[in-house]
Amino acid sequence: MRFDPFYLNSAVASLDQTSAVEQQLTNEISSGTRVNSLSDDPVAVGENVLLSSQLNLNDSFSQTESSTVGMLQVTDSTLGSVVSQLTQAISLATEGNNGTLNASDLQSISSQISGIRDEVLSLANTTYMNRYVFSGSQGGTTPYSLSSAVTPNTVTYNGDTVTSYITTPNGQKIQTNVPGSQIFSDPTNNVLQTLNNLVADFSSGTASPSAVSDTTALNSALNYVSQQRVTIDNSITQLQAAQSYTQTQGTQITAVQTNLMQTDVAQVSTQLSTAETQQTALTQVVNILEKNNGNLFSLL
C-alpha cells in the first residue's frame, strides 16, 4: 500500500498534544497553582480579580477602622471626664445656692468652678494622633479659646460643624466624630458658657439671681453631653462589629481563592498518570508508523 503521511502526522499531533497536557499537569503539581495565566481558565481569573479587589477593600477598611476606633475611644473617655467635671460643678453650684454660705465660701465655689471650666476647656481641646478631636473637619485647629476680657468670660469655637462618616465594605455609613459645637457650645446646652456664667454668679461673694437658673442649665447641658456620648459609643460598637464581619469575610474569601486557584493534587495526579499512559501508547504508535512508512495495516 502506498505511504500515506496523514496517519503519521495525526499520531504525531496527538503525541504533541498529550505531551503539552502532561507538561501542564506537571507544572500544576510543581507550583501548587491550577491557574497561572488567563488562558488557563479565564472565568477563574476573573473571579479571582474580584475576590482580590474585595480583600484589598477589606484591608483598607481594617486599617482605617483601627485608627478610627482609637480616636472614638479617646473621644468617649474625654466625654466621660467632662461628665465627671460637670457633675462636680453642679454639686458646687447647688451648694452655693442653698443660702447658708458666707461670701468667702461663695468666692471659693466660684474659684473651684473656674478650675472646672478650665479643665473642661482643656478636655474640649483634646488631641489624638496630633489631631484635635472636637474641631469637626478642622483637625489642625484648636477648637476652643477663652477670653477673659469680659465678665462672664466668653469661649469661642474655632472649628467647623462637619460630621464625618466612614463607609464599611458592605456600604454601611458610620459616624466618626461629633463637632465640639454640638457638645460644648450648643446654643441650647452651652456647657462652657454656662460654666462661665456660674463662675460670675458666685465671684462677688453673693449668689447672683441667675445662679439657680444657670445651675439648672448646667444640669440640662450635662444630660446633653451624655446623649452625645451615646452616639460615640454606638459608633464604636458598629465599627467593631463591621471589623469582625470583615475579618470573617476575608477568611472566607481567602478559602474561596484557594479552592479556585490551587491545584487539586489528587485529581491532577490521576490526570497526569492518564496522560503519561497515553503518551507512552502514542509514542509506540508513532515509532511503528515511522518504521512502516505510515502503513496502519502493519499494526493489525
Side-chain angles (χ1 to χ4, degrees):
M1 178 178 287
R2 183 172 57 85
F3 172 71
D4 186 347
F6 169 78
Y7 301 113
L8 178 59
N9 292 339
S10 178
V12 170
S14 296
L15 177 60
D16 290 342
Q17 183 178 5
T18 301
S19 296
V21 170
E22 181 183 355
Q23 183 61 51
Q24 178 185 349
L25 294 172
T26 300
N27 290 339
E28 282 189 33
I29 292 177
S30 176
S31 66
T33 303
R34 183 179 69 84
V35 181
N36 293 290
S37 66
L38 179 62
S39 60
D40 291 339
D41 189 337
V43 174
V45 171
E47 291 180 4
N48 187 59
V49 169
L50 293 176
L51 292 172
S52 294
S53 177
Q54 184 63 51
L55 281 179
N56 290 335
L57 185 63
N58 288 358
D59 288 343
S60 178
F61 170 75
S62 293
Q63 294 174 8
T64 303
E65 185 271 347
S66 179
S67 61
T68 301
V69 168
M71 182 192 71
L72 289 172
Q73 287 173 335
V74 168
T75 303
D76 179 63
S77 176
T78 299
L79 293 182
S81 297
V82 170
V83 167
S84 296
Q85 292 293 321
L86 295 183
T87 300
Q88 184 179 352
I90 290 170
S91 177
L92 288 168
T94 301
E95 183 182 358
N97 288 326
N98 66 17
T100 63
L101 302 182
N102 58 35
S104 177
D105 291 334
L106 291 176
Q107 289 173 335
S108 175
I109 286 177
S110 175
S111 178
Q112 291 179 71
I113 294 177
S114 177
I116 290 173
R117 184 274 319 279
D118 291 344
E119 179 61 24
V120 172
L121 182 65
S122 176
L123 290 168
N125 290 332
T126 293
T127 61
Y128 175 74
M129 297 181 68
N130 299 318
R131 302 282 293 177
Y132 289 99
V133 171
F134 299 110
S135 284
S137 66
Q138 305 298 313
T141 301
T142 305
Y144 286 98
S145 55
L146 174 69
S147 172
S148 56
V150 296
T151 301
N153 296 163
T154 58
V155 175
T156 301
Y157 179 61
N158 305 302
D160 61 31
T161 61
V162 174
T163 300
S164 301
Y165 296 85
I166 185 175
T167 302
T168 68
N170 66 357
Q172 180 186 11
K173 288 182 66 175
I174 300 174
Q175 184 173 335
T176 59
N177 77 320
V178 178
S181 57
Q182 191 174 319
I183 302 175
F184 302 100
S185 51
D186 177 78
T188 304
N189 297 281
N190 196 321
V191 172
L192 289 167
Q193 193 55 52
T194 302
L195 287 171
N196 281 329
N197 293 343
L198 284 169
V199 170
D201 286 339
F202 300 111
S203 62
S204 66
T206 302
S208 166
S210 61
V212 173
S213 61
D214 287 337
T215 302
T216 300
L218 192 60
N219 262 300
S220 177
L222 170 60
N223 292 331
Y224 184 72
V225 170
S226 297
Q227 292 171 12
Q228 302 310 305
R229 191 180 181 190
V230 170
T231 299
I232 298 298
D233 290 340
N234 287 342
S235 292
I236 292 174
T237 299
Q238 290 174 332
L239 280 169
Q240 290 175 334
Q243 173 71 326
S244 178
Y245 172 80
T246 298
Q247 290 174 339
T248 299
Q249 185 188 56
T251 300
Q252 294 171 342
I253 289 176
T254 300
V256 171
Q257 279 189 310
T258 298
N259 293 332
L260 186 67
M261 308 297 286
Q262 185 174 321
T263 299
D264 184 336
V265 176
Q267 181 182 26
V268 174
S269 295
T270 299
Q271 293 172 342
L272 179 59
S273 177
T274 301
E276 289 172 340
T277 300
Q278 291 175 343
Q279 184 186 45
T280 299
L282 285 169
T283 299
Q284 292 174 349
V285 169
V286 169
N287 288 337
I288 294 174
L289 286 173
E290 288 178 338
K291 184 179 299 183
N292 294 278
N293 295 323
N295 190 345
L296 288 178
F297 288 105
S298 64
L299 300 177
L300 300 178

